[in-house]
Amino acid sequence: MSERQDAVITLYSVIKNDDLILEAFKKAFADFTIDVLYADHAMKLILQDNSEIELHIIDDEKEMRGQTDGMMNFFAQAPLNNEELMASVMQQIQLFNHITGVNFQLDAQEARTNAIMECLFAAARSTSSIVLYPSMSLFTPDAKLLLSIEGASDLETWRPIAHQSILDEERVYDAEDKQNFIDVTDEIKKRGYPAIASMLPIQLSLDTVELPSVETIAKRLLCIFATSVMAECELMEDGSYAFGVQEFSRLKDQFAFVDALSEREKAFVMEAAEEQEAIQFSWRYECAAVLLWALGLYGLDATYESVCNVSEMSKIIRSYSSLDELCKAAKLRSKREILNMHTRALYYDWTCVEARIKHIELENLESGVVQEHHYALNWLCNANHTRNWDQISCNT
């Protein structure tokens, strides 16, 4: 038997969930597999020659963001003369929401290698995935060279793709959706910032927006606000974890919201945080501002020129004696108004990402505010098909 060497191929996908990826690989390799073992976000295929193919899937929003940002920065250096193609590749990378690492072994048997690669590309076609080789070359699902780091490509044009599970949402854009896109991108251009030329496939339509109840929004608002207050108490001069707990407890006793805390929020409350984590939680004031606006209790600055007025928000929230009183005072904004704000945040977030990649300075635009607004609005509209606050993603 010839000596085998480890190999790694990576698939990048825009797909609804990792179960679809695992099922695609199971089906693609069915004729060569004697056993399949599953784990969390992972799978192992035992082949007939007793070798193994291991899959590990990443779908965490924060990790995905870091991976795709790094990928865009890397491939932006490729000396590709086709600017339109490069822009489309960058847009494709921005859309990715799943990364699948495929580990297997190769030997001198060409037939075996070819069979494995054929199965791998069959899975790529089934999941509409882009394939990355170790040579840092990107291939389309039908094995055409999309872009190499040397600037080579088999294509003149490319239109970003997504799996049918994303497209099956059957978004029907009405005239107002389309006009909102035009208005937002025109405004971005007038401010001198980079703007996308066409509608993103992840832009929501009115029929896909699913708003939570007023009570659910109010509890989420209070969870965010209370943990942000706690973070601020830890970060301020002469502040402390004990002071943060004291302020958190006051809000908890007043509003009774702890049953709605996310797992990450529970962990943050339980013990003193590292400075960086506390900073991240303090930024969530911006998410609280969005939810307070959605409840009709606060005016939101959608220019993203400055951070929210925490003092004003605090006065509004603390003016109510209980969760029930806050909910009764709320006047939930319409789906259309919230959708239009979501569209706005989506395209401003695209601008921020594009500027970061191309090292463009965005004067009078707080990118951190944009990202937090996008996060909160994704949760509000159920853009990620989950109400788990810790699992919201902000793909652009």
Side-chain angles (χ1 to χ4, degrees):
M1 180 181 293
S2 59
E3 184 177 348
R4 290 176 176 169
Q5 295 182 332
D6 293 334
V8 179
I9 297 290
T10 309
L11 272 64
Y12 292 82
S13 317
V14 186
I15 197 166
K16 195 168 183 177
N17 58 59
D18 56 6
D19 288 342
L20 295 169
I21 298 172
L22 298 179
E23 185 60 29
F25 269 88
K26 179 182 176 182
K27 184 176 180 180
F29 283 89
D31 291 341
F32 304 96
T33 305
I34 59 174
D35 200 4
V36 180
L37 305 175
Y38 292 93
D40 188 30
H41 298 286
M43 182 172 72
K44 182 183 291 186
L45 302 170
I46 312 299
L47 303 186
Q48 292 172 356
D49 61 3
N50 289 316
S51 65
E52 300 174 353
I53 295 178
E54 295 185 6
L55 278 68
H56 299 277
I57 300 175
I58 297 172
D59 62 1
D60 176 74
E61 186 271 334
K62 185 177 179 181
E63 190 169 357
M64 282 297 312
R65 188 98 178 194
Q67 293 272 1
T68 54
D69 282 0
M71 193 176 185
M72 285 188 287
N73 286 327
F74 180 80
F75 279 103
Q77 301 173 49
L80 181 67
N81 293 324
N82 187 330
E83 292 185 5
E84 183 180 345
L85 178 59
M86 176 62 84
S88 294
V89 172
M90 292 296 107
Q91 186 178 346
Q92 178 71 74
I93 294 172
Q94 285 180 314
L95 292 172
F96 293 142
N97 63 0
H98 286 76
I99 300 174
T100 306
V102 185
N103 299 72
F104 57 101
Q105 292 184 321
L106 293 178
D107 56 24
Q109 300 177 62
E110 185 176 352
R112 179 181 180 275
T113 299
N114 290 342
I116 289 175
M117 295 308 297
E118 285 175 9
C119 291
L120 194 149
F121 271 98
R125 288 190 294 275
S126 179
T127 55
S128 301
S129 299
I130 301 298
V131 181
L132 176 67
Y133 276 31
S135 60
M136 300 311 293
S137 296
L138 294 169
F139 288 84
T140 67
D142 55 358
K144 292 181 180 178
L145 178 61
L146 177 59
L147 180 63
S148 72
I149 190 57
E150 292 79 21
S153 179
D154 292 338
L155 308 175
E156 290 297 323
T157 61
W158 176 253
R159 185 174 181 179
I161 59 174
H163 184 255
Q164 197 63 37
S165 60
I166 298 292
L167 304 177
D168 277 347
E169 293 177 355
E170 296 181 356
R171 291 173 185 166
V172 178
Y173 298 110
D174 60 24
E176 190 167 346
D177 291 326
K178 296 172 184 177
Q179 189 60 49
N180 195 27
F181 161 74
I182 293 170
D183 292 343
V184 172
T185 51
D186 280 352
E187 178 188 303
I188 291 170
K189 292 173 190 174
K190 287 177 182 177
R191 295 178 72 176
Y193 308 145
I196 194 168
S198 58
M199 291 174 68
L200 288 167
I202 55 173
Q203 179 178 330
L204 300 181
S205 58
L206 191 61
D207 62 317
T208 60
V209 174
E210 300 174 8
L211 299 181
S213 67
V214 166
E215 182 178 348
T216 299
I217 297 172
K219 281 189 172 184
R220 177 92 311 266
L221 159 68
L222 293 164
C223 289
I224 298 166
F225 182 76
T227 49
S228 296
V229 167
M230 188 170 176
E232 185 181 9
C233 290
E234 293 187 44
L235 290 168
M236 66 175 57
E237 188 175 354
D238 298 325
S240 67
Y241 170 68
F243 182 36
V245 169
Q246 178 181 322
E247 291 302 305
F248 179 87
S249 296
R250 287 177 179 174
L251 288 164
K252 176 191 70 175
D253 293 342
Q254 183 175 351
F255 293 106
F257 56 82
V258 291
D259 61 310
L261 286 169
S262 72
E263 291 304 313
R264 189 177 171 210
E265 287 168 339
K266 290 175 185 176
F268 179 75
V269 171
M270 290 300 295
E271 60 182 1
E274 297 290 335
E275 181 180 11
Q276 188 57 43
E277 186 178 20
I279 291 172
Q280 290 173 357
F281 269 90
S282 68
W283 266 106
R284 291 297 195 213
Y285 273 132
E286 301 299 333
C287 291
V290 171
L291 300 191
L292 197 59
W293 167 83
L295 292 172
L297 301 173
Y298 181 71
L300 198 62
D301 178 9
T303 65
Y304 310 114
E305 291 183 1
S306 59
V307 297
C308 62
N309 189 327
V310 174
S311 178
E312 181 184 353
M313 288 168 53
S314 182
K315 287 179 182 178
I316 293 170
I317 292 171
R318 295 175 191 269
S319 69
Y320 301 104
S321 62
S322 65
L323 171 66
D324 184 60
E325 187 177 322
L326 190 157
C327 290
K328 287 178 179 177
K331 295 181 180 179
L332 184 62
R333 296 181 189 270
S334 69
K335 276 189 178 184
R336 171 57 68 184
E337 193 173 0
I338 291 172
L339 170 62
N340 288 351
M341 190 65 79
H342 180 276
T343 302
R344 185 177 186 81
L346 170 66
Y347 289 108
Y348 265 95
D349 203 3
W350 184 95
T351 291
C352 292
V353 173
E354 183 76 359
R356 186 164 64 249
I357 294 165
K358 296 184 176 179
H359 307 290
I360 299 171
E361 185 176 350
L362 300 175
E363 294 185 7
N364 301 316
L365 185 63
E366 290 280 353
S367 60
V369 174
V370 174
Q371 187 171 344
E372 297 299 329
H373 280 212
H374 191 184
Y375 194 100
L377 287 160
N378 268 7
W379 180 85
L380 260 178
C381 296
N382 201 26
N384 303 125
H385 306 286
T386 180
R387 294 296 181 200
N388 185 332
W389 180 251
D390 295 337
Q391 296 300 317
I392 301 302
S393 62
C394 292
N395 296 316
T396 56

